[in-house]
Amino acid sequence: MFSYKSRYCVAAAMAAMAALTGHVEARDIDLQSIGYFQFSPLPPSLVSQTDTLLLSDSPEYVGPVGGTLSAGTINGNGRIYFYHVNEMDLPHKIAIVLENQTAYPTSVHVMRQLKSVATPDYFAAGRDLSRKDLEQPLNESPDARPLYTLSIPPQGRQLIFSDLENTPVNRDALFTGIVDIKTEGPIFARVMMLPMGMDPVDASHWVKNLPIDEIQLRGTYTGAKRNMEVTTPFDTSLGGAFVEIGNDREDTFINGVDEMQNKAFVRDRGNYGVSYTLKIPTKGNEPFRLYFNPLGGPYSGSFTVKTLHQQGARRGQTDTRTYHIGGADGISALGEGTILDSRLLGNYNAGDLLTLNFMPAGASNLPIRFLLIPESLANPQKHQTIAVNVPKDVKDILGNPTQGGTQIPVGPVGGKDGDKGSVDTKKSTVESPAKRAETIAHEETKKLSDKAAADVKKEAQLKKAKDEKEALARKKAEEARLAAEKAEMLRKAAEAKHAEIERKMAEKAEAERKAEEARKAEAARKAEMARIEAARKAEADRLEAARKAEEARLAVEAKRLEEERRIEAARIEAARKAEEERKAAEAKARFEAQRAAEKAALEAKKAEEERLAAEARARLEAQRKAEQEALEARRAEEARKAAEAKAALEAQHAAEQAALEAKRQEDARRAAEAKAALEAQQMEAARKAEEARRAEEARRAEEARIEAERKAEAARVAAEAKRAEEARKAEAARIEAARKAEQARLETEARRAEEARKAEAARLEAQRRAEQERLEAARRAEEARRIEEARRAEEARKAEAARIAAEARKAEQERLAAERAEAERQAAEARRLAEERYKTQLEAERKAEAARQQALAQAEIERKAKERAEAIQRVRDQQESARRRAELARQQLEAERKAAQASKRTPSFSELDDIHGDTSNVTIPNAVSIDELTKPRPTASQNTRRREQRQPQLSPNQQYVQINPVANEPQQDQMPYTLQNEQQNDEENPPRLYPLG
């Protein structure tokens, strides 16, 4: 077999051929031989993490039925990442439904939609989405245009990523994808797996939530976009270095909550669904290589490396290149069963700023490393690469055009063959460029092959050194393994401590969240009660306004009817007066005619004619006046009706405007009701307009009839004037009959008008009552509906609170059970330790107990001796007190005796009573009779008897003196005498009063 160096030389020759033919090959490197375990770490620092991530990966294997896999709230920029395997027999689909749970419409902008192939090859699905994520990057500019925009109404739901409807996921197939959205308000998103053909929006109302699996990779997180930067630049002069990602140390996993489990604490172990931007600055003097190195297990995904040149001729220029691990390179994944696999991600110059973009591929494993290896370490032969300026019109052996400045290795630096490796491509007059390039490649291949043969001869001499080097490497590897195990133990301890701290913080945050939710629920309840109260007040105001408008309308209608009745009465009175005047004129004319008839027949005839003509004229004039007055009354009535109708319409319009203003704040049902009421009012207005039109037509017909009658009457009067003489008697009879008929007609019309007025009033009253009943029924129905809604909302709130409390209790019980188990384990350990120490402590405890008992006995003996000494001292004090009190009593008795002897030379007490008989009885303090001096004194025990056992009270007319009894002999159980004891005895046993004499 070829050694490493020989393989490298052959590989260099192949690389030279690939450079000329336009192919690029990513090569592995022997990491162990170049001191992989001595590479320096370059820890990255977190610069920022933004946007919301809704992760849906638990349950990863969905079956035996589908349902809701993950759900959470997104407000602003967010991403939905799903990763699931169908374990059901029939094909299913992934569906994403957005719900607007607020009271306002919200817009959602869908910025990007990506999905992988659905395949049983998990690595293929993961790297397919990783590749599409880099090939179709998210446009993060402020003026980026979305794919489409949705407007979701309040409490509405809509489906996004409709392409998933036509993407079946067969049994045992993995399907993954991402959706980037931007919302203008909080949106609740659901990720579901449903049978093909099922309506996702309808199913989102009733499908069950599937339980989370043991991996617990679902929930709502902050950090869909993560920016990291290596703060210490990589120095090519210091050897190899690595940047490690996804180790939960320098690159920590993001934390979140699972809203399907009452916002339980979850972690995205692997940061799946997170888009990384990693910047690595470099410095030094020599080129270096960038390698990808998986540590956690197999990895298959894509990476984009963006290079900003900061030195040389290309300073300020940027190169971007994407590398794919797995699939097209002939392997499924890199890093199966080893941590020494690697893949070249390009050659770079010192000073370049590298920016890596990637998203951890699904089905792959973390952590991963990016190795930065100087060219002198990666290539022990220190080959250099120089530019061969091949003209652009040169084609390779396959006929493909090449690029100018192709780089190929031409020999060792500073070697004796260095000059031979220089190639001059400027002279192209003798040979064609393609043939000259091929000749150069063959020459270089020959030189490298010769060098490889020389290396093979030297390999035997270096075998022993190589074995020693390998042994040293194994020893270092073992030491590194032990150090790694120790570091892993420390990491696990730190992780456990960190997890405990995070759990406590999460519990505290959960408690604060529950308190905040309770506060918000209480505020929402108060707001709802305030809204209901405001709506009730608005409805009451509306009903009151409607009632007042109805009362105003009824008052106007009553006033109109009263005006009509008054006008009709005036018309009837005018007609009656005109008829009386006509009758009086007729009687006077008859009287004059009779008297004139006696004088002359001719004059009588002439007078009769004049009378008849005057009578006809008067009748016609009276009838014309009556008709004119009736016409004016009708016109006034019509004007009044029009004004009343206009006022009623204006009042109705104002009421309608007020009702519409109040109803704008109600929901669609009340808007429809308002619209119906408005239509009914418009119909009522149309009906009233039609009635007015009909009344106007009737009025015009009546005027035409009256005019026709007037003309007919004029013709009739003219005819009667011609035959007045022949038909006088008939005319008188006809006039009398016409008068009676007119009177009957007027009475009939008045009766009909009164009946019509009463009927109209009754109709209006019935209509008003019906409207009031309808409004009252509507108000009651609305109040009942609001009460029912409030009851249902309260029941839902209580049910939600009970569910949350039950889940919290369950979580708390589980936590307590775990804590109890841990406490029991610790207690068992403590018991075991205590049992081990118990035997050694028994003897010490026995001795201590004996010593304690002995000390107690000694203390008891000392206590009793002290008590006896105190009792003896107390008896002595009592005896001394009794002696002092006896001495005081003796001195007092001696003083009293001397005072009694001195008082024998003064008037007696009875004489004093006689002398001062006109004064009232007084009590002389400190005065003592002679009898009292010789009377036995009561003891202290006698003074302390109960009040009912003492001597009876004396009558008010007796004189009393105050006696301070003193004990004759001390008692054995009395306390030592002190001023305080004497004062207390005086307070408890007041002095007795005895009569004088």
Side-chain angles (χ1 to χ4, degrees), residues 57 60 73 250 254 552 625 692 922:
D57 191 9
E60 180 178 353
T73 303
E250 299 88 0
I254 58 177
K625 289 181 179 181
V922 296

Side-chain angles (χ1 to χ4, degrees), residues 315-582:
R315 182 175 183 178
Q317 297 183 9
T318 302
D319 292 335
T320 303
R321 194 163 187 180
T322 302
Y323 300 90
H324 307 290
I325 310 298
D329 55 1
I331 60 173
S332 176
L334 191 68
E336 180 69 35
T338 179
I339 63 172
L340 298 177
D341 279 357
S342 63
R343 184 57 52 89
L344 180 65
L345 298 184
N347 300 325
Y348 306 95
N349 295 320
D352 291 348
L353 175 62
L354 306 184
T355 302
L356 283 74
N357 295 101
F358 63 95
M359 182 175 64
S364 296
N365 300 275
L366 295 174
I368 59 176
R369 283 183 177 180
F370 296 101
L371 308 180
L372 296 97
I373 305 176
E375 186 67 27
S376 60
L377 182 61
N379 182 4
Q381 298 295 320
K382 298 184 180 180
H383 279 70
Q384 69 173 0
T385 302
I386 65 172
V388 179
N389 296 319
V390 181
K392 293 184 178 180
D393 57 350
V394 176
K395 296 184 180 180
D396 58 17
I397 57 176
L398 300 178
N400 299 319
T402 62
Q403 297 179 352
T406 304
Q407 296 181 353
I408 60 173
V410 297
V413 178
K416 62 181 181 179
D417 296 332
D419 295 335
K420 296 181 180 179
S422 60
V423 181
D424 186 7
T425 58
K426 295 181 180 180
K427 298 179 181 180
S428 58
T429 57
V430 179
E431 299 177 340
S432 64
K435 188 174 181 180
R436 184 172 181 81
E438 186 176 358
T439 303
I440 293 172
H442 284 299
E443 290 177 356
E444 292 303 324
T445 303
K446 184 177 182 302
K447 288 189 293 183
L448 292 174
S449 299
D450 294 340
K451 186 65 176 177
D455 290 337
V456 170
K457 293 179 181 180
K458 295 179 181 179
E459 185 176 1
Q461 300 174 358
L462 300 176
K463 185 175 182 181
K464 185 177 180 180
K466 184 178 180 180
D467 293 340
E468 293 176 353
K469 186 177 179 181
E470 288 177 352
L472 181 60
R474 284 193 297 270
K475 182 179 179 181
K476 290 183 178 180
E478 183 64 20
E479 292 176 354
R481 184 183 64 80
L482 294 175
E485 290 177 354
K486 184 178 180 181
E488 181 66 19
M489 292 175 62
L490 294 175
R491 186 188 67 81
K492 289 182 178 179
E495 182 178 356
K497 184 178 180 181
H498 183 65
E500 181 65 19
I501 294 173
E502 287 184 339
R503 182 184 66 80
K504 292 181 180 179
M505 293 177 63
E507 289 177 354
K508 182 179 179 182
E510 181 67 16
E512 293 175 353
R513 183 191 62 78
K514 288 182 180 179
E516 183 67 17
E517 286 182 352
R519 186 185 66 75
K520 289 182 179 178
E522 182 65 19
R525 185 184 66 79
K526 291 182 180 179
E528 181 65 19
M529 295 299 293
R531 188 190 65 80
I532 294 173
E533 182 66 20
R536 186 186 64 77
K537 289 183 180 179
E539 182 66 17
D541 294 341
R542 187 186 66 81
L543 293 176
E544 182 66 19
R547 184 184 64 78
K548 290 182 179 179
E550 182 65 20
E551 289 179 354
R553 189 183 64 81
L554 292 176
V556 171
E557 185 67 20
K559 185 177 180 181
R560 182 184 63 80
L561 293 176
E562 181 65 22
E563 187 70 17
E564 288 181 353
R565 186 186 64 77
R566 187 180 62 77
I567 293 173
E568 185 66 21
R571 187 184 64 80
I572 293 173
E573 182 67 20
R576 186 184 63 77
K577 288 182 179 180
E579 184 64 23
E580 289 178 356
E581 291 176 357
R582 186 182 62 79

Side-chain angles (χ1 to χ4, degrees), residues 39 49 127 155 197 318 418 789:
F39 283 6
Q49 55 181 10
R127 66 171 169 262
Q155 309 302 324
T318 302
E789 288 181 354

Side-chain angles (χ1 to χ4, degrees), residues 677-826:
L678 183 61
E679 291 177 355
Q681 292 173 357
Q682 291 177 354
M683 292 176 63
E684 182 67 17
R687 183 185 64 78
K688 289 184 179 180
E690 183 66 20
E691 288 179 356
R693 186 184 62 79
R694 291 178 181 176
E696 180 67 19
E697 290 178 356
R699 183 185 64 77
R700 291 178 181 177
E702 184 68 17
E703 288 179 356
R705 184 186 65 79
I706 291 173
E707 184 67 19
E709 288 179 356
R710 186 184 64 77
K711 290 180 180 180
E713 184 67 19
R716 185 182 61 76
V717 169
E720 286 178 353
K722 291 181 181 180
R723 54 180 184 274
E725 186 63 23
E726 293 83 7
R728 184 179 59 79
K729 295 181 179 180
E731 180 65 19
R734 187 189 65 76
I735 290 173
E736 185 65 18
R739 184 187 65 77
K740 293 180 179 180
E742 180 67 16
Q743 186 176 1
R745 185 182 67 79
L746 293 175
E747 292 175 354
T748 302
E749 288 180 356
R751 186 174 63 256
R752 289 177 180 177
E754 184 66 21
E755 291 175 354
R757 185 186 64 77
K758 291 181 179 179
E760 181 67 16
R763 184 185 66 79
L764 294 175
E765 181 66 19
Q767 184 177 1
R768 185 183 65 80
R769 290 178 180 177
E771 182 67 17
Q772 288 181 350
E773 291 176 355
R774 185 185 67 79
L775 295 174
E776 182 66 20
R779 185 184 62 79
R780 291 176 180 175
E782 180 65 19
E783 289 181 355
R785 183 186 67 80
R786 291 174 180 171
I787 292 172
E788 181 65 19
E789 288 181 354
R791 184 184 63 79
R792 291 178 180 176
E794 184 65 19
E795 290 178 353
R797 186 187 65 78
K798 290 180 179 179
E800 181 66 17
R803 182 185 67 80
I804 293 172
E807 292 179 355
R809 284 195 301 272
K810 183 178 178 182
E812 183 66 18
Q813 289 174 359
E814 292 176 354
R815 186 182 65 79
L816 291 176
E819 290 179 355
R820 281 197 297 271
E822 181 64 21
E824 289 174 357
R825 185 188 65 78
Q826 294 178 359

